[in-house]
Structures are given as structure tokens and as C-alpha cells.
Amino acid sequence: MGNSKQPLKIRFGLFTIEAKSIGQCFALSGIGLAMYGSCSYINYLFWKKKHVPPKVTKSSDKPVHPYLANKRHKPEVMSLNQLGKEKCTDLTPIMGCLFYAGDIVFLFSVANKGKTIAGVQMAMDLANGAKSTMTPSNDTSSMQRTIYFNFEMRKDQLKKRYFNSEEKTVYPDNLELVFCSGVFNSPNDMLNDLARRVEQANEDTTIFIDTITDICPSFFANESAKVIGSLRTIQENAKRNNGIRITFVLLGHAIKKNPWEPIEMRDLSGSSNQANLADSVLAIGVTKFGKEVRYLKVLKARNDELNEKVFVEKTVATPYLHFEFKGEMEESEVLPQKPSNKKSVVVLGHLPETTKAVETSPIITPELLSQMKEMYQPGVPGHGYKAVLKKYGTSIGLKYPQQVKRLLETTS
């Protein structure tokens, strides 16, 4: 008798497979399923490519402002002699001997040692177009718009610091505060906002960021190069398109170190690359003269020679919290003394009278006071406190209309 067993037949779509045993049946079934699955997946890929749009990443969702686009231009070529004949007017000091219009500046200190006091004071001086009390320079910069990006302090904290309950202090209207806490999630968010504000500017503007480490916590080499490169591009586009100069003052933190050690560039928290890319670097340190006295050190000045001495600054609470220059000293002369052992405390000293450079109280002659009183006419346009201040006040050290008001009222 012949073999009566019939082969097992398995059908997969258009294909039919014959197996002589159950084991061979399972093996061939596995091969068939794999082939069928592969064909189905290839079919799906072609369908997806035709019907499903590509997924957009989050980084490309955010538009890049045109003022952040670095348009490539051909380099300008000239000889050194031709350069000597050029009329260069870009080197305009706007903060005495500290920095110039169009600079990128770093100002840093350890926590709670005065960087915000100094930053807001600089912003006020530039907004008023007044001589700064922080430097020995008698130069008065032209009035300009200032924008202060505040990541550090809440509204109530700033109000308590700059508004005394006993008097109504008046500040310049062209100083704009931007409260940034919880608003920007990345450096790109901040850069786009900066570019938008600069595009709308029609005059020289100084922008303060307090602090840059709030939006760039690590600020490593590649991140600092990207951020500072973007700020340079914003400056170049503003000058090319609007004919204005944009200055950036970036406030930062210092690494923790012993107070009796000199401040150096490497003490700026983050990458050393950020200081190398800046035009000016300033630092505020503590002194042996007590908590009301700090010193300001110029660590880098691309446009000037470095001052070997530091500026001694006293904290003054009226008419608002600010620094007043008291003189120049060697850094070694102002640093607290190193304790001899762990139980010792840092030895403090007294600020010597010889460091005082100028008398801070303005000298007003009777003739000048009489002219100011004659000019002031309440309710008459062009004869108010602001007009009197503009004509007479800046030459004698007055900076705000409120000061003129108090002067005229107390001498009437």
C-alpha cells in the first residue's frame, strides 16, 4: 500500500506553503509571517511618507528675530594710514571712565555685596544724563534710554529700596524696568525679546541684565559664546539699520572666595570665555572699612589703560540707595586682613579721610540761587522744576527735579 498521508497546506494571502510534518509546518509558518509583516511595514512607510506631515521639533517652533540673523558682509579693507584719516566717533564714554557706548560690560560681585545697587545707579545716571557719583570723572554723558531686565528682585523689594516713605522721589521716565522672573525659559527667549526691543529703538540705549546667570545658570564656553555673539549681532544690526549704539551691561555672580584675597577675572562665575569676549569687566568687593564701604575694580578695559588702583565707594541711602566715590587706593590697602587662626575674625578699619576726593555737597552762590528762583514759575510751561534743573542744576551737581524743589523751598 502507498503512503496515504497528504501534505499540510498553509495559505498566506496569495501564497500557499506545503509541509510534510507539524514541525515543518510551524517553521514555514514563522517564515511566512515574517515575510507578510515585512511587506506590511514597507507598505505603511510609503503610506506615511505620502499622507503624514513630518514632525516639527520644539526648537524650530520658536521664530528667530531678524535682528538675531547674522547677515554676512564683505570685510572693509584699508591701510593703517587710511584708518588714521578716518573720523572715528564711536568711542564715546557714557559712564565716566568705566565703559563706552556700544560696549558689552560685565559687572559682578558675590551675593548681596552691591551689584544691583551699582547697576540701578548706572541706569539712573544714564537715563538722567548726569555725572555719576561712582567715579572721579567730571564727564556728563548725554541722556539716553535705559532698559533694566530684572531677574533678581520683586516689585515690593525694589519699591522699598528706592522709595522713602517720608519723601516722594521722582526718577527718570526713560528708565524702563522689565520684570523677568518666570517669563523666559531659555536664553533664546530672552534674546528674541531683546532683539524686538532694540528693533523698535530710535536712540542710543543701554540694556542691563540682572543677572545673566539667572537665564544662563552654567554659562559654559559654548553657551557664553552663543549669547555674547548674539548680543554683538543685535548691536551691529541696530547700528546698520537704525544708526544707534546699543550697550549691554551684564550683571553676574562671583565665585565664593576669601574676602582678603584680591578679585580677579577668573572669579566671575561661569566660563572664562565670557570675560574674554567682553569689552569691560568690573567687580565689586568688600573692604576692611565696614559693610557700608565697598570697592570697585576695573579688571578689563579694552578702550583704556587699566587703573592700578581701585575706587572706594560708600553706600548712601538718600535720596535713594547708591554709591558715592570717596577716593582711590591700592587694592591691598582696602582688603580685610586675613585672620591668624580659625577663631579669629576679619579685622575692620576706618575709612581714612585722605581718600576723600571731592566734597559731595553742591556749592550754590546767592546769584545762581536768585536766577533759579526767577526762572521757576509754577504752572508756566518751560519754567518748572525740570526746566530749572536742565538749565542750572546739572552744573552744580543736582540730578533730580525733587532736589531743585527742596532747594527752592528751603531757601525761600
Side-chain angles (χ1 to χ4, degrees), residues 122-123 135 170 206 248 266:
M122 290 177 181
T135 71
V170 179
T206 299
F248 288 105
R266 62 185 180 184

Side-chain angles (χ1 to χ4, degrees), residues 143-211:
M143 186 182 297
Q144 66 173 260
R145 181 189 179 202
T146 57
I147 305 175
Y148 202 94
F149 279 71
N150 170 48
F151 288 89
E152 291 280 286
M153 303 186 72
R154 301 192 304 271
K155 290 181 180 179
D156 292 342
Q157 292 172 327
L158 279 173
K159 186 172 182 179
K160 182 178 179 181
R161 176 175 288 189
Y162 293 101
F163 286 88
N164 192 314
S165 59
E166 298 179 359
E167 59 179 347
K168 295 181 180 180
T169 310
V170 179
Y171 295 111
D173 290 330
N174 56 340
L175 168 56
E176 178 183 343
L177 296 176
V178 182
F179 292 91
C180 308
S181 180
V183 176
F184 303 128
N185 297 318
S186 69
N188 286 335
D189 291 342
M190 181 190 68
L191 290 170
N192 275 306
D193 189 85
L194 283 173
R196 178 181 61 81
R197 294 175 190 276
V198 170
E199 183 188 35
Q200 298 170 354
N202 55 12
E203 59 180 318
D204 285 1
T205 303
T206 299
I207 299 175
F208 294 78
I209 302 177
D210 183 7
T211 69

Side-chain angles (χ1 to χ4, degrees), residues 60-194:
S60 61
D61 287 342
K62 297 178 181 179
V64 177
H65 196 280
Y67 264 55
L68 287 169
N70 191 4
K71 298 179 181 179
R72 296 185 180 275
H73 295 270
K74 292 183 179 180
E76 186 177 3
V77 181
M78 64 174 62
S79 69
L80 190 59
N81 290 326
Q82 289 174 322
L83 177 63
K85 296 177 183 179
E86 287 278 319
K87 291 183 179 179
C88 298
T89 58
D90 280 348
L91 292 181
T92 305
I94 58 173
M95 265 303 297
C97 51
L98 297 181
F99 54 86
Y100 288 71
D103 279 357
I104 292 181
V105 184
F106 271 97
L107 169 66
F108 71 96
S109 76
V110 295
N112 299 321
K113 298 303 179 186
K115 62 181 176 294
T116 298
I117 296 175
V120 175
Q121 182 178 352
M122 290 177 181
M124 288 184 185
D125 291 337
L126 293 172
N128 276 301
K131 174 189 174 300
S132 177
T133 62
M134 291 182 63
T135 71
S137 173
N138 290 319
D139 296 336
T140 301
S141 62
S142 58
M143 186 182 297
Q144 66 173 260
R145 181 189 179 202
T146 57
I147 305 175
Y148 202 94
F149 279 71
N150 170 48
F151 288 89
E152 291 280 286
M153 303 186 72
R154 301 192 304 271
K155 290 181 180 179
D156 292 342
Q157 292 172 327
L158 279 173
K159 186 172 182 179
K160 182 178 179 181
R161 176 175 288 189
Y162 293 101
F163 286 88
N164 192 314
S165 59
E166 298 179 359
E167 59 179 347
K168 295 181 180 180
T169 310
V170 179
Y171 295 111
D173 290 330
N174 56 340
L175 168 56
E176 178 183 343
L177 296 176
V178 182
F179 292 91
C180 308
S181 180
V183 176
F184 303 128
N185 297 318
S186 69
N188 286 335
D189 291 342
M190 181 190 68
L191 290 170
N192 275 306
D193 189 85
L194 283 173

